[in-house]
Amino acid sequence: MNTMRAVGLTSYLPIDNPQSLVDLVVEKPTATGRDILVKVAAISVNPVDTKVRAPKERVEEAPKILGWDVAGVVEETGPDCSLFRPGDEVFYAGSIARQGGNSEYHLVDERIVGHKPVSLSFAEAAALPLTSITAWEALFTRMSISQDSGPNKGKALLIIGAAGGVGSIATQLAKQAGLTVIGTASRSETVSWVKSMGADYTINHHDPLLPQLQAIGFTNVPYIFCLNALEEHWTGISEAISPQGVVCAIDDPTSPLDLKLLKQKSITFVWEFMFTRPVYETDDMIEQHLLLNRIADAVDHQKLKTTLTEVLGPISAENLRQAHKLLESNRTIGKIVLEGFV
């Protein structure tokens, strides 16, 4: 069979519009070069999906398929592949520069794919790749935090927006690295979730940050990882960060940032965008393959746990529209997954 089912779009519309995401039948791709063709078992949704789908004037000639979290089974491999064989169970986030994984089969470069944790179901595994890569790269690559707990003794990390997918993984990784973790959460259910991920303290991101930190014994913190509303928290971040500290962010500010607020303390500010390596095919692109294998090993040794909180049902336009709507409410906890086609 040379066709496959998928969910995609041609027009960028509000999520309440039934045409914002539609069921499709498209050509089934073939693996070439270092690509592998994966039979998709489960997918997860992320804020990047809603940002790409957000209303805009452009109209696509060919349907655009979203979805950058996949767990599945290798169907075939390109002639230059060496990391996987047909039948291998895999998980990955893919590349935003290519078609996404909301389809029965998906092409992806093997250098950004990991072996699925054997202890997890496909749904549980699909919740992990994008957020794990983002959190790992942010903490250990961009912010240069040591993975060894020794140098981190007595140091604190503030995670703004800790109840989401990235925050949930970052909390677990930071705790393993020996950091004291302070996560922000504003509702009783998100406070409970953040604590269940291992946070030592929680504070409310709707209130000024520094007074709350001081109330729990911190005059400032050497690391801040901001996951949303960066421009809203920018002044508070500049007040709460330690001299010579490091701030990392992942979201897209809607207004300019005043970098001068960081100058007097000699603060390092860094971005994390987990698609940088695959989009630019950097020389170290294979690091994401190695990273995902390390995540899988940590999961299988019960050092990390999945952040799956809800399976909405099979992969369909209706269910994906519901997932996007939930994400756009900014009230989700953990990760939302869809599993299989019917």
Side-chain angles (χ1 to χ4, degrees):
M1 185 172 66
N2 295 321
T3 61
M4 65 177 183
R5 289 171 292 178
V7 177
L9 60 84
T10 53
S11 298
Y12 295 85
L13 301 166
I15 199 59
D16 288 333
N17 189 315
Q19 296 301 306
S20 59
L21 292 169
V22 295
D23 294 305
L24 304 165
V25 175
V26 298
E27 184 179 354
K28 178 183 175 182
T30 299
T32 59
R34 295 203 69 173
D35 278 353
I36 58 176
L37 181 67
V38 175
K39 182 174 176 57
V40 176
I43 57 101
S44 181
V45 292
N46 294 281
V48 65
D49 299 56
T50 67
K51 291 175 183 178
V52 172
R53 196 222 75 248
K56 55 183 73 73
E57 293 299 321
R58 188 168 74 248
V59 175
E60 302 289 347
E61 291 186 12
K64 183 176 184 62
I65 299 170
L66 310 180
W68 293 283
D69 256 339
V70 173
V73 179
V74 177
E75 179 88 356
E76 66 181 41
T77 61
D80 299 328
C81 290
S82 61
L83 303 175
F84 298 98
R85 296 177 298 178
D88 286 347
E89 296 182 350
V90 295
F91 74 144
Y92 58 90
S95 169
I96 200 170
R98 303 180 65 175
Q99 291 281 45
N102 295 345
S103 54
E104 283 189 279
Y105 296 89
H106 184 234
L107 274 182
V108 62
D109 191 302
E110 67 168 356
R111 290 171 290 180
I112 56 172
V113 177
H115 291 278
K116 181 184 80 67
V118 297
S119 60
L120 297 185
S121 67
F122 285 107
E124 291 168 330
L128 289 173
L130 185 146
T131 55
S132 295
I133 294 170
T134 300
W136 185 290
E137 289 185 347
L139 297 179
F140 305 130
T141 304
R142 312 302 175 212
M143 302 177 82
S144 299
I145 295 172
S146 173
Q147 296 177 43
D148 181 0
S149 61
N152 297 325
K153 186 176 181 179
K155 295 182 180 179
L157 166 72
L158 172 62
I159 302 176
I160 300 174
V166 175
S168 300
I169 296 295
T171 297
Q172 296 182 66
L173 292 176
K175 284 301 297 178
Q176 286 187 31
L179 290 164
T180 297
V181 176
I182 307 159
T184 75
S186 61
R187 311 190 314 270
S188 60
E189 58 266 35
T190 53
V191 168
S192 296
W193 174 264
V194 171
K195 289 182 177 178
S196 76
M197 292 293 105
D200 298 283
Y201 304 93
T202 61
I203 61 175
N204 192 325
H205 43 251
H206 293 309
D207 297 325
L209 299 175
L210 185 57
Q212 294 182 84
L213 290 172
Q214 292 171 336
I216 57 176
F218 296 87
T219 55
N220 47 44
V221 290
Y223 303 111
I224 297 179
F225 188 18
C226 186
L227 306 179
N228 53 50
L230 177 60
E231 67 279 10
E232 295 178 21
H233 298 298
W234 189 244
T235 299
I237 286 170
S238 69
E239 294 169 347
I241 191 71
S242 303
Q244 302 183 100
V246 184
V247 176
C248 181
I250 66 171
D251 70 332
D252 301 310
T254 56
S255 58
L257 302 174
D258 183 4
L259 289 176
K260 293 194 299 292
L261 292 178
L262 306 183
K263 181 180 179 181
Q264 191 166 347
K265 291 183 180 178
S266 297
I267 302 304
T268 298
F269 175 69
V270 291
W271 289 109
E272 160 57 17
F273 185 56
M274 59 78 52
F275 291 120
T276 296
R277 281 168 163 153
V279 166
Y280 292 98
E281 296 190 0
T282 59
D283 291 341
D284 65 348
M285 183 172 166
I286 200 169
E287 286 298 319
Q288 290 194 350
H289 163 72
L290 301 174
L291 189 163
L292 285 172
N293 283 346
R294 293 184 69 172
I295 292 293
D297 184 68
V299 169
D300 288 336
H301 286 86
Q302 299 182 332
K303 295 178 180 179
L304 282 177
K305 53 187 175 182
T306 183
T307 54
L308 168 64
T309 52
E310 184 174 7
V311 178
L312 279 183
I315 302 167
S316 69
E318 181 180 4
N319 287 338
L320 272 166
R321 288 196 299 270
Q322 175 64 12
H324 279 229
K325 192 170 185 177
L326 288 169
L327 279 181
E328 289 180 349
S329 75
N330 293 317
R331 294 177 66 86
T332 55
I333 300 172
K335 292 298 295 292
I336 299 169
V337 169
L338 288 79
E339 186 173 21
F341 284 82
V342 292

